[in-house]
Amino acid sequence: MLNRKLWRDLWYNKTQFLSIFLMAFLGLLVFVGLDAESHGIEKSGDTFYEAYNLADFWIKGCYFTKDDANKIMEIDGVNQAERRLHIEGKAEHLHGTDSNAQTAEEDNEPYMQLEFLDTQNISQMKVLSGEPFQEDREGVWLDDKFATYQKLTVGDTLTIKVNNTEITEPIRGTIIHPEYVYYTSESEEMVPSYGTFGCAFLSGKEFPGAGNIYTEILVDTDADKNQEQIKEKIKEIMDNPDIIIMDRTQMLSFSTFDAEIEQHKMMTFMFPMIFLLIAVLGIITTMTRMTANQRIQIGTLKALGFSRGRITRHYMSYGFWISTLGALLGAVTGYYTLPALLRQSMQTTYVLPVWYVAISRNSYYAVIIEVAVSTWVSFMACRKELREVPAETLKPKPPKNMKHSALEKSKMWLRMSFQTQWNIRDIIRNKARTSMGIVGVAGCTMLLLCAFGCYDAFQAFPAWLYEDLMTAKATIVLSDSCKQGDAEEYAKKYKGQMIEEEAIELTANGKAKTGTLTTVDDGNLMHFQNQDIKEIELNQEGIMMSAKMASVLGVKAGDFVKWHVMGDDTWQNTRITQLNRVPSSQGITISREQQKKLNYDFRATKILTNHSVPADISDDLQVQTLSDATQLKQEMVDSMKVMNLMVVILVIAAAVMGIVVLHNLGVLSFIEKTREIATLKVLGFRTRKIRGILQMQNIWVTTFGILVGLPLGYGFLLMLCNSVSDSMDIVPVITPYSYALAIAGTYAVSILVNMMLSGKVKTIDMVDALKGTE
Amino acid sequence: MKTLIEFKEVVKEYTRGEKTFYALNHASFQIGEGEMVVILGPSGAGKSTLLNLLGGMDNASGGQILFDGADLTTYSDDALTDYRARNVGVVFQFYNLIPTLTAYENVALMKDIEEDTLDPAEALRAVGLEQQMHQFPSQMSGGEQQRTSIARALAKNPRLLLCDEPTGALDTDTGREVLALLQQMSREKKKTVVMVTHNSMFAEIATKVIRVKNGRIASVTENKEPKDANEVNW
Ligand SMILES: Nc1ncnc2c1ncn2[C@@H]1O[C@H](COP(=O)(O)OP(=O)(O)O)[C@@H](O)[C@H]1O
Ligand SMILES: [Mg+2]
C-alpha cells in the first residue's frame, strides 16, 4: 500500500517530479550521448590503428638502407621495421575527357602526398575497391575521397608530377590509411576539404630516381615494452645526429584526432555536472517540502507501528524511482541521438572505415551516481522528520525561533517600506531556499553567457585570422621545388611578403612539442598581437612564441627554449622576448634578419600579397596552390556552423534549468507562505499588491544570481576555449551584446516563471488557509 | 480481571527556557484487560501526553510504564515500534488517514507491517462502511473518516485501542455513533479501550474514569454500571 501511496504522491506532485525527472533525463542524455560518441570515436580510431598496424615510431632525417631497417628490427621489443619515402607531388591533368567536365576555376593540379613503399607490413592501407597492394606491382593505390571527388575509378590512369618528373600509373585500388585519418593541404585549413587534395601509395620501384630513395623507417613495437627505452636504443644504433624519431603523438593525423577525442571527453563531464547539480537541487527542494508537508502522515505511520527503516525506504524511493526512470530513459535516448547528430561533422573531418557508437564504463557509473545521489538526497530530506518521537512528529512543526537580525534593529529598518521589510525577513529566515534560488539563476546566466560567448568566439575567429592577423588578399603557397630566386621574383612581381614556415621541435621543462617556425620577411601583411590582443611589432632580438605553445610548454617571456628544425639537428637555445596569440599553427616567429643571425638560409614557403594574382599561377611548377583569403575565411565560417548546434543546446539547457529551479522554488515558497498570504488578504491587501511583494523578492534573487553567474560563465567559457586543443588558440571574447542578452534572458526566464506562479495568489482561499490544525 | 497496564510514578517534563515544566507529574494508575477507560481533564492537563506514553509514541522522563508486566520505558526504539505494531491501535482526533489512499487501502496499509491482519473489507464492514470502501478520505464525512480510522486501528487485532478525542471533530450524532462503536469493541471483542476526552459526559460509558489536572492524577473512579453510548447526551 505504501507503494500505492508513492505513485499517487508522484502523480499529485507531478510538475515537481517531472522537473527532477527532466534534469536526470537531460543530464544522462548528454552524458551517455557524449560518452557513446567520444568513446565510440576512440574505439573507431583504435580499431583501425590496431587492425592496420599503425606504426609506433617514424624515423626520419637521412637515407636509410635495408641494413638499417634490419638492425632496428633486432632491438628487443621491436616487431618490425620497414622503409618508406614520403614526398609531396601533384596530380597532373586528370585523365581523358572526363576532366573537361570540371569547372575552370578548379585546381587542375591537385596537391598530393605520396608514399613510396619498400614493403607493407606496418601502417597498412585498407583497400576499399580494387586489388590489394603488392610491392612489385606497377600502379597507384589512391586516396578514396580523392578518387571519388575527382571521378577516378580503378582501371583509370593517373599522371603524377613528382621530383620534377611525370609518372603515369594505372589506378589499382582506392584506399584509406591509418596515417591519413586527418590530413590537410595547408596548415591553416582546419576542416580539410578532402578530395581537392589527396594521398597515394606506390611501390618504391615506381619512383623516378636512382639509388636509395628511402628517407623514413616505420617501426612497429610491442605495446607492453618500454617505448622510451626502444627510442633510446634506436638512437644508439643509428648513431646519426641528423635523425629524428617521432612517435604517434607527434603525428598530425594521430594527434589531431586524439585531441578531438580528448575535447569530446571533457565536454562529457562538464555539461552533465550542471544538470546533475540541478537535479539534486530539485530533489532537495521537492523532497524537503514533501516530507515537511507529510509530517503528520509520517507521524501517523510511526504511530501505526511502521518502523523507521520502512518509512525511510518509502521516502527514499521517490528519489530513487524518479532518477532511475529519468537516468535510464536519458541514457537510452542519448545513446541513440547525440552520436548520430555529432557524427556528421566528425565524418567530414576524419577519414575512418567504421564509426562506432560505444559507451565506456563511465556511463554506467554516471547512472549509478545519479541514482545514488538522488536517493541519498531524499534520505537526507526525510531524516529530520524521522528523528523525533512519533508524538512530536504528529504535532505541526513549532514555528522557527524568530530572532531579530541586526538589520531589523537598526534605524535604517524603520525607513524601509513594508514590502522590503517583509521580503528581507523572508529571505533571512529561508536562507537555504534563497541560496538554492541564487544557484539556479546563476547556473542559468552562466550557461547563457557561455553559449553566447561561444558564438562570439567562433564568429570572431575567422575574422581574427583573416582580417587582423593576416591582411593579404591571397596566399601563393610555393612547392618544394621552388628555388628562393623564383620566390623573390614572385614577391617582386606581386609586391608580396615572403614567409617561411618550417616544422620544428621544441623542448622546455622536460616537455617536447612539435610546432611551426615562422620566419617573416619585410612587409606589412602579417600582424602580431600580444596577450591583450593589442597589435605589437616583431622584435629583432630573440624569438616570439605563441601564447598557447608557451602555456603548453610552461614557459613565459624571458625564459629560454631549445628548438631545432625538423631534419636539421642543430639545436638552438634562444630567449623568448615576446608572446603573441595566434589561432592555429602554434610555435615561434622570428624576423628574416634574426634567422640570418641564427645561421639559417631563408627559403620562402609562401607569399602573401594584396595584388591580384592570376588563377593559372598554380600551373607553375614552383607553385603548389593559390588560396584566396575571402574564400578561406568563408570556408572557415561554414565549418564553424556545427558549433551553432552546441550554442542552441546550451541555450535550451539554460532555459530549462532556470525554469525548473525557479518554478520549483516558487511553488515551494508559495506553499510555505500560503498562511501569510492569506493573512495579508484578510487584512485587505489586493492580489496585485501581494503579487508585487512576491515579485520583488524574485527580482532580488534573480539579480543576485546574475551577478554570481556572469563571472562563472566567463570562467566556464575560458575553460572551454582552453580545452579545445593544443594547437588552436581561441580567444574567449564576449561582446557587450552577449552580456546584455544573457542578463535579459535570465530575467525573461525569471519573469516567465513568476507569471506561471502568480495565478496561484488568486486561488488562495482565506478561510481555508487560516483554519487551524487544532 | 487481569491488570494489563500499570503507570508507576510516571513523569514527563519539558524544559521551557530555564524552567522545568511537568506535563505529567508522578502519575500512577492501573488498567485491567478489557476495560473501557475514559481519561478526563481540561485542555493542557496532560491527557494526550499520557496517551502517547501508553502507546509507546513518546519517551517518559521518569517512572515505569508496565504493559503486561514488561516495562516500556526500558524499550529501545525498535522494540517500541514492534510494540506499537503488535499491541496498539491508535485513533486520532483528526483521523490522520493517508489522503492519497482510499478507505480500503488505508486499512490494507496495515498488511505492510503485519501479515496476520483482518481482511480490510471485513474490518470496514464491522464499522459499517461497506458502501464507502473505495472512496478517498476527501470524499468522506468526518464520521466516516473516523470510522475508517477505527477500522484501520482494529485491522491488526490489537489488545489496546487508544483514542485521543475521537469525537473532537465530530457533531453530536456522528460522535455518538463512534462512541458506540468503541464501546462495542470493548464489550464484544474484549479490547482494552482508552479514550481521552475533555467532555465529562463521556465518563458515563466508561468502566473506569481517570481524571487528570495539571499533570497529576486527580482521581480514579470505577463505574460499576456504565451507560450505553446511545443513551449519552451532550
Ligand atoms: N513538546 C512540548 N514542549 C513543551 N511543552 C509541551 C510539549 N508538548 C506538550 N507540552 C505541554 O504539556 C502540557 C500537556 O499537554 P497535552 O498532554 O497535549 O494536554 P492535553 O491534556 O490537552 O492533551 C501542555 O501544557 C503542553 O503545553
Ligand atoms: Mg490533547
Side-chain angles (χ1 to χ4, degrees):
Chain A
M1 285 305 137
L2 272 187
N3 279 337
R4 226 176 263 195
K5 169 177 177 310
L6 166 76
W7 295 115
R8 293 215 183 111
D9 280 341
L10 290 179
W11 178 248
Y12 292 132
N13 295 287
K14 52 184 174 296
T15 42
Q16 307 270 300
F17 284 109
L18 189 70
S19 66
I20 298 172
F21 169 84
L22 265 179
M23 285 297 127
F25 177 80
L26 284 176
L28 268 294
L29 183 146
V30 176
F31 189 94
V32 174
L34 289 182
D35 183 49
E37 203 273 335
S38 61
H39 194 252
I41 58 174
E42 187 173 32
K43 185 180 167 190
S44 311
D46 286 349
T47 355
F48 190 35
Y49 297 149
E50 179 71 26
Y52 291 89
N53 198 20
L54 176 66
D56 295 295
F57 292 118
W58 290 260
I59 311 170
K60 300 181 181 185
C62 66
Y63 287 104
F64 296 105
T65 61
K66 188 98 197 162
D67 212 36
D68 291 332
N70 286 339
K71 268 192 276 178
I72 286 168
M73 231 187 300
E74 270 155 31
I75 298 172
D76 183 39
V78 171
N79 289 334
Q80 268 164 337
E82 60 188 17
R83 298 180 298 162
R84 198 170 71 176
L85 163 66
H86 172 258
I87 192 165
E88 289 165 358
K90 280 183 175 189
E92 256 302 299
H93 296 283
L94 292 168
H95 83 287
T97 49
D98 241 348
S99 63
N100 294 342
Q102 299 203 320
T103 48
E105 314 95 75
E106 235 173 309
D107 189 354
N108 249 357
E109 291 193 339
Y111 164 77
M112 296 224 77
Q113 304 201 42
L114 306 169
E115 307 280 0
F116 290 89
L117 312 177
D118 185 15
T119 50
Q120 196 223 193
N121 297 314
I122 311 174
S123 292
Q124 297 159 357
M125 48 194 113
K126 178 178 170 64
V127 179
L128 297 185
S129 69
E131 58 187 84
F133 178 79
Q134 281 168 298
E135 278 113 40
D136 40 9
R137 183 128 163 93
E138 175 203 37
V140 61
W141 279 261
L142 192 61
D143 174 353
D144 183 61
K145 296 238 174 193
F146 182 78
T148 312
Y149 185 80
Q150 306 286 357
K151 300 195 187 71
L152 295 169
T153 50
V154 175
D156 294 346
T157 55
L158 179 70
T159 303
I160 299 166
K161 238 195 247 177
V162 60
N163 206 13
N164 290 324
T165 325
E166 288 188 3
I167 51 173
T168 302
E169 303 274 346
I171 298 171
R172 298 284 181 207
T174 65
I175 55 111
I176 57 176
H177 194 270
E179 285 180 28
Y180 288 89
V181 169
Y182 175 86
Y183 52 108
T184 58
S185 61
E186 285 185 76
S187 53
E188 268 150 37
E189 197 180 36
M190 271 181 308
V191 178
S193 32
Y194 292 118
T196 60
F197 59 93
C199 61
F201 291 75
L202 302 96
S203 162
K205 299 189 177 74
E206 302 301 309
F207 186 71
N212 183 10
I213 59 165
Y214 298 110
T215 55
E216 190 177 11
I217 291 182
L218 278 62
V219 184
D220 172 36
T221 63
D222 264 344
D224 45 338
K225 288 276 160 44
N226 186 328
Q227 301 289 303
E228 277 310 305
Q229 262 172 23
I230 296 174
K231 209 168 168 177
E232 285 309 310
K233 198 85 187 164
I234 295 173
K235 269 189 192 149
E236 201 183 305
I237 286 179
M238 297 311 292
D239 192 30
N240 180 345
D242 289 341
I243 66 153
I244 45 172
I245 304 170
M246 289 165 71
D247 59 30
R248 288 184 177 184
T249 61
Q250 291 164 309
M251 288 286 297
L252 179 73
S253 170
F254 186 92
S255 64
T256 310
F257 190 56
D258 203 46
E260 181 86 44
I261 295 168
E262 286 310 312
Q263 185 204 343
H264 287 213
K265 281 187 180 166
M266 178 118 175
M267 302 277 189
T268 310
F269 284 94
M270 282 201 292
F271 291 115
M273 280 302 172
I274 297 165
F275 290 111
L276 190 63
L277 186 75
I278 302 312
V280 168
L281 284 181
I283 290 177
I284 293 175
T285 50
T286 309
M287 287 310 295
T288 322
R289 189 200 114 213
M290 206 171 86
T291 45
N293 281 356
Q294 295 198 351
R295 189 181 156 83
I296 308 282
Q297 287 189 43
I298 293 173
T300 307
L301 289 176
K302 274 201 266 185
L304 291 177
F306 280 85
S307 69
R308 194 175 295 198
R310 194 66 193 251
I311 302 172
T312 312
R313 256 177 286 139
H314 170 67
Y315 283 95
M316 275 164 78
S317 49
Y318 289 85
F320 176 80
W321 285 113
I322 285 298
S323 56
T324 305
L325 210 72
L328 289 181
L329 277 176
V332 171
T333 315
Y335 183 88
Y336 286 106
T337 55
L338 278 193
L341 254 173
L342 294 168
R343 272 304 136 76
Q344 287 162 6
S345 82
M346 284 293 98
Q347 281 166 345
T348 56
T349 318
Y350 302 99
V351 185
L352 281 173
V354 191
W355 290 87
Y356 292 102
V357 174
I359 50 171
S360 72
R361 228 176 292 155
N362 288 336
S363 282
Y364 297 105
Y365 293 152
V367 172
I368 291 170
I369 289 172
E370 211 282 329
V371 172
V373 168
S374 305
T375 311
W376 183 73
V377 167
S378 309
F379 166 70
M380 293 308 282
C382 72
R383 204 182 53 154
K384 204 169 60 223
E385 309 292 344
L386 281 164
R387 260 199 305 246
E388 296 167 344
V389 291
E392 284 304 317
T393 323
L394 277 165
K395 290 179 200 161
K397 214 177 198 91
K400 276 193 203 140
N401 218 352
M402 292 288 187
K403 262 188 274 170
H404 287 280
S405 63
L407 179 68
E408 283 173 64
K409 287 177 195 145
S410 71
K411 280 203 186 108
M412 220 170 61
W413 181 256
L414 297 172
R415 261 180 273 140
M416 290 175 183
S417 70
F418 168 73
Q419 297 189 27
T420 317
Q421 291 178 344
W422 196 83
N423 277 314
I424 288 178
R425 274 211 187 101
D426 197 57
I427 285 173
I428 290 174
R429 286 183 192 135
N430 296 287
K431 291 189 194 76
R433 192 185 73 208
T434 309
S435 35
M436 264 186 266
I438 290 171
V439 170
V441 173
C444 176
T445 312
M446 171 178 137
L447 284 183
L448 282 178
L449 188 66
C450 189
F452 298 135
C454 273
Y455 184 77
D456 286 343
F458 290 127
Q459 283 288 303
F461 196 82
W464 184 35
L465 185 54
Y466 290 111
E467 283 168 23
D468 297 347
L469 296 180
M470 201 195 82
T471 47
K473 277 207 210 101
T475 308
I476 306 167
V477 182
L478 304 170
S479 68
D480 287 348
S481 56
C482 180
K483 303 253 161 35
Q484 179 56 20
D486 303 331
E488 304 273 358
E489 238 152 69
Y490 282 125
K492 202 179 279 170
K493 188 166 171 194
Y494 300 110
K495 300 211 165 42
Q497 179 176 11
M498 287 183 287
I499 307 284
E500 177 180 356
E501 282 179 337
E502 298 292 343
I504 55 168
E505 185 176 29
L506 303 106
T507 68
N509 300 325
K511 278 175 236 160
K513 203 71 203 154
T514 49
T516 313
L517 167 69
T518 312
T519 309
V520 187
D521 193 18
D522 292 337
N524 57 358
L525 298 177
M526 205 151 153
H527 307 267
F528 305 97
Q529 291 180 344
N530 66 7
Q531 275 166 299
D532 305 323
I533 320 295
K534 296 267 153 35
E535 181 139 4
I536 49 171
E537 288 294 322
L538 179 59
N539 252 344
Q540 296 304 327
E541 286 302 314
I543 58 172
M544 178 191 265
M545 180 177 276
S546 65
K548 184 97 187 189
M549 178 61 80
S551 85
V552 169
L553 289 175
V555 294
K556 52 188 190 312
D559 291 349
F560 278 88
V561 66
K562 288 178 100 179
W563 54 275
H564 75 101
V565 176
M566 293 287 192
D568 177 345
D569 211 47
T570 341
W571 282 86
Q572 304 285 351
N573 192 17
T574 35
R575 185 193 287 275
I576 305 164
T577 52
Q578 290 170 301
L579 291 183
N580 72 319
R581 295 198 68 159
V582 303
S584 60
S585 48
Q586 306 299 320
I588 56 181
T589 309
I590 54 176
S591 65
R592 191 171 168 177
E593 289 90 274
Q594 177 69 10
Q595 192 201 34
K596 202 168 181 180
K597 279 187 220 157
L598 294 170
N599 280 325
Y600 290 107
D601 285 332
F602 185 76
R603 220 192 112 258
T605 53
K606 57 185 186 183
I607 297 168
L608 309 179
T609 176
N610 258 332
H611 284 250
S612 53
V613 182
D616 62 5
I617 192 177
S618 60
D619 289 347
D620 294 2
L621 206 58
Q622 289 88 345
V623 176
Q624 187 174 301
T625 48
L626 171 68
S627 53
D628 178 51
T630 38
Q631 199 181 322
L632 281 178
K633 188 179 159 198
Q634 193 51 48
E635 275 169 22
M636 189 180 273
V637 169
D638 291 343
S639 75
M640 296 264 170
K641 286 220 173 93
V642 281
M643 292 300 176
N644 292 349
L645 181 72
M646 192 166 97
V647 173
V648 172
I649 291 178
L650 278 176
V651 170
I652 293 175
V656 171
M657 168 163 162
I659 291 173
V660 163
V661 175
L662 289 179
H663 188 266
N664 240 356
L665 289 168
V667 171
L668 174 65
S669 76
F670 187 80
I671 286 167
E672 281 170 4
K673 280 184 227 156
T674 304
R675 234 159 202 283
E676 285 173 68
I677 294 170
T679 315
L680 291 179
K681 270 192 169 180
V682 174
L683 293 177
F685 279 80
R686 284 169 199 264
T687 306
R688 184 207 288 263
K689 175 102 179 167
I690 296 171
R691 274 187 203 153
I693 296 178
L694 295 180
Q695 182 130 0
M696 182 179 193
Q697 195 182 118
N698 216 317
I699 286 173
W700 289 358
V701 170
T702 309
T703 307
F704 199 75
I706 287 174
L707 290 179
V708 176
L710 289 178
L712 285 178
Y714 185 77
F716 194 58
L717 183 68
L718 210 70
M719 228 162 87
L720 272 178
C721 286
N722 283 336
S723 75
V724 167
S725 84
D726 278 356
S727 62
M728 251 167 91
D729 188 0
I730 297 181
V731 182
V733 275
I734 303 181
T735 58
Y737 191 62
S738 292
Y739 276 109
L741 226 61
I743 293 170
T746 313
Y747 276 117
V749 165
S750 166
I751 289 167
L752 177 78
V753 171
N754 221 33
M755 267 158 45
M756 284 157 72
L757 290 174
S758 69
K760 290 204 175 209
V761 175
K762 238 191 205 144
T763 66
I764 290 185
D765 177 8
M766 286 176 271
V767 188
D768 231 24
L770 290 179
K771 255 200 299 205
T773 30
E774 206 165 341
Chain B
M1 189 172 46
K2 186 181 159 227
T3 304
L4 182 68
I5 296 155
E6 186 170 4
F7 266 48
K8 283 183 174 174
E9 304 288 323
V10 175
V11 175
K12 176 71 188 177
E13 54 186 38
Y14 290 110
T15 32
R16 285 181 181 169
E18 311 272 279
K19 279 179 266 172
T20 310
F21 171 82
Y22 292 92
L24 216 53
N25 200 346
H26 297 275
S28 301
F29 60 85
Q30 293 184 350
I31 294 173
E33 178 119 51
E35 276 197 276
M36 169 95 196
V37 180
V38 164
I39 297 179
L40 260 181
S43 184
K47 308 181 296 291
S48 295
T49 307
L50 193 155
L51 200 77
N52 288 338
L53 288 171
L54 189 50
M57 293 182 272
D58 207 349
N59 300 318
S61 318
Q64 283 176 307
I65 303 169
L66 302 179
F67 180 88
D68 213 5
D71 188 356
L72 294 185
T73 58
T74 64
Y75 278 22
S76 68
D77 257 9
D78 286 346
L80 276 179
T81 304
D82 232 39
Y83 161 74
R84 283 199 301 273
R86 202 160 303 151
N87 299 309
V88 187
V90 201
V91 176
F92 305 91
Q93 179 179 0
F94 294 101
Y95 339 125
N96 289 11
L97 298 173
I98 305 295
T100 46
L101 297 179
T102 62
Y104 180 91
E105 289 162 351
N106 260 289
V107 179
L109 189 62
M110 302 320 293
K111 272 209 167 33
D112 281 11
I113 24 177
E114 277 248 342
E115 270 306 307
D116 185 25
T117 54
L118 299 183
D119 174 33
E122 203 168 300
L124 283 165
R125 203 168 301 125
V127 298
L129 279 181
E130 53 269 272
Q131 299 300 319
Q132 291 84 353
M133 209 161 344
H134 296 295
Q135 286 171 3
F136 284 97
S138 58
Q139 299 163 330
M140 293 192 286
S141 74
E144 287 164 347
Q145 288 188 56
Q146 193 60 299
R147 278 188 280 158
T148 309
S149 153
I150 293 172
R152 179 175 68 182
L154 290 172
K156 59 187 173 185
N157 210 6
R159 292 167 75 183
L160 183 59
L161 192 60
L162 302 179
C163 318
D164 195 347
E165 314 243 10
T167 60
L170 301 174
D171 62 66
T172 320
D173 285 343
T174 34
R176 192 179 288 120
E177 279 172 35
V178 167
L179 279 187
L181 187 59
L182 290 173
Q183 195 173 43
Q184 183 195 343
M185 293 303 143
S186 159
R187 284 180 176 166
E188 291 170 16
K189 301 241 160 84
K190 300 290 170 231
K191 305 264 173 235
T192 309
V193 178
V194 180
M195 184 176 87
V196 158
T197 178
H198 61 269
N199 190 337
S200 52
M201 302 299 278
F202 293 176
E204 294 169 8
I205 66 160
T207 58
K208 182 182 273 176
V209 180
I210 302 174
R211 282 178 220 278
V212 188
K213 215 171 178 182
N214 292 330
R216 292 175 187 277
I217 305 294
S219 70
V220 179
T221 43
E222 306 253 348
N223 194 356
K224 290 279 173 284
E225 275 172 29
K227 267 193 187 170
D228 226 44
N230 292 324
E231 297 164 23
V232 178
N233 291 311
W234 81 85

